[in-house]
Amino acid sequence: MRQLTILLFVCLAIGCSSTKKATMTTNKLNGTWVTVKLEIDGAPLPASAFENQKLILNDSTYTYIAESVDKGVVKYNENKIDIYGREGVNAGKHFTAIYKFENEQLTICYNLSGDAYPETFETKGKSMYFLAVFNKTHLK
């Protein structure tokens, strides 16, 4: 009887896990994004400053490839993001940001001090705010 009970729990656990996978939705932000614009304190950076940069989002993790590689965790809440650096130059840091996804572009405004979320996508006069615009790549 005990073995039957254990077998029943195993079957139930397997059945529940497959149901969960079937009902999960894919995050529309998942994928590889190339940087098309960077701005700090209202001033755009030259294209040469970001020509080989990429942001890779996969559910709750990110990888940012620039001069070095940064990895960490992202947590979404409506149009807000909390970014927690785990590896790379931002390891141990927490950044707050807002984002919008429109016209196939992802725009993120970061507050590098991490003490509050930006209220707009404006960086002028805010030296700790950083704006990035990305296009999604369709390469595998």
Side-chain angles (χ1 to χ4, degrees), residues 23-131:
T23 60
M24 287 178 57
T25 58
T26 302
N27 183 345
K28 67 183 175 188
L29 302 181
N30 282 355
T32 301
W33 299 85
V34 292
T35 309
V36 295
K37 177 183 175 184
L38 292 180
E39 177 184 300
I40 297 176
D41 198 18
L45 296 175
S48 61
F50 56 82
E51 64 188 351
N52 294 316
Q53 295 184 3
K54 290 181 195 173
L55 171 64
I56 302 167
L57 295 173
N58 187 10
D59 294 327
S60 63
T61 62
Y62 78 89
T63 301
Y64 195 82
I65 301 168
E67 295 77 29
S68 61
V69 177
D70 242 15
K71 294 182 179 186
V73 173
V74 290
K75 294 184 180 181
Y76 304 96
N77 184 9
E78 296 179 12
N79 73 323
K80 296 176 181 168
I81 308 174
D82 284 281
I83 303 154
Y84 300 93
R86 298 290 188 243
E87 297 177 33
V89 296
N90 290 312
K93 294 181 182 174
H94 170 232
F95 303 115
T96 52
I98 57 173
Y99 78 94
K100 61 182 176 181
F101 177 67
E102 49 187 38
N103 301 321
E104 298 300 311
Q105 285 193 322
L106 173 62
T107 303
I108 303 175
C109 186
Y110 303 87
N111 177 354
L112 300 178
S113 64
D115 57 358
Y117 296 98
E119 293 181 16
T120 67
F121 292 90
E122 298 293 321
T123 65
K124 188 170 177 123
K126 301 173 183 170
S127 62
M128 294 303 289
Y129 281 29
F130 181 75
L131 182 78

